[in-house]
Amino acid sequence: MKVIVHMENSEYVAQLFSEQIFYMLRNRISEYARDNNLSDAEQVEMYQHLINHLEKGSSQ
């Protein structure tokens, strides 16, 4: 699917895309945790790993 977005406010567009990426990742992690019977602690560990990876990538 191709989507063309033309909006004057680039900050608003960036916020929309960031929110959608967050929801997509959240849903995939929840689905993976459910399918693999992960505990809440294991799910938190997955989120922490993702956050650390994103922070590492943004500092480079």
Side-chain angles (χ1 to χ4, degrees):
M1 176 169 76
K2 293 183 180 181
V3 177
I4 298 173
V5 177
H6 178 72
M7 295 182 152
E8 296 295 324
N9 188 339
S10 61
E11 289 180 25
Y12 177 69
V13 172
Q15 180 183 352
L16 285 177
F17 284 133
S18 296
E19 287 175 7
Q20 290 307 307
I21 290 169
F22 166 78
Y23 292 129
M24 181 187 72
L25 290 171
R26 182 197 64 187
N27 292 342
R28 288 191 180 183
I29 290 173
S30 293
E31 187 177 305
Y32 179 84
R34 184 184 64 242
D35 292 347
N36 293 283
N37 298 319
L38 299 182
S39 68
D40 288 343
E42 290 170 317
Q43 195 169 346
V44 167
E45 189 176 323
M46 289 179 66
Y47 280 112
Q48 191 61 50
H49 179 74
L50 175 63
I51 290 167
N52 290 340
H53 183 73
L54 291 172
E55 286 176 344
K56 186 187 291 185
S58 67
S59 66
Q60 292 179 354

